[in-house]
Amino acid sequence: RCGRTDKGVHALGQVIGLKLLMWPDDTVETLKEKLNKELPPAIRVFFIQRVAASFHARHGCSGRRYEYLIPAYVLRPPSASSAQLKLPLPGHRERKTAAAAAAK
C-alpha cells in the first residue's frame, strides 16, 4: 500500500505502508540501513515509523504540495526577427469606425 503520483510525475517524500518481519536485534535504524543497501541509489528510505494496522498510506493522506519547474527558455519573449507583427493591423481603423457607427 502506498501513496501514488500521476504518470511522469516525480515524488519526494512518498509514504508507503508495509508489513515486515524483523530480526529480534533489528532496530528501526538498522532496518533503514538494510533497506537502503538493497535499493537503487535514486531511491532512499529517510524515515521509518511504526503505525497501527489500520494505517493506509493513500487513503490516510492529509495533504499534498505541488511544485512546478518550468524551464526559463519558455518564458523568454520572441526575438524581433521571429515576430514581425505590426500594429495596428491593416484595416483596423476601418473596422473600428464601422463598429462605432453600428453601435449608434
Side-chain angles (χ1 to χ4, degrees), residues 13-77:
Q14 191 76 338
V15 175
I16 66 168
L18 66 150
K19 294 178 183 178
L20 293 174
L21 293 173
M22 296 173 58
W23 294 106
D25 58 337
D26 273 344
T27 65
V28 171
E29 194 58 37
T30 58
L31 179 60
K32 183 175 81 170
E33 290 171 9
K34 288 178 181 181
L35 288 170
N36 282 329
K37 280 183 185 176
E38 299 299 321
L39 292 168
I43 301 173
R44 298 285 90 195
V45 173
F46 294 111
F47 184 75
I48 296 175
Q49 180 176 344
R50 292 184 70 128
V51 296
S54 61
F55 173 78
H56 194 288
R58 186 165 48 104
H59 299 302
C61 178
S62 61
R64 291 178 176 88
R65 189 182 86 187
Y66 295 92
E67 186 173 312
Y68 298 91
L69 304 176
I70 302 171
Y73 69 85
V74 300
L75 303 175
R76 279 189 237 144

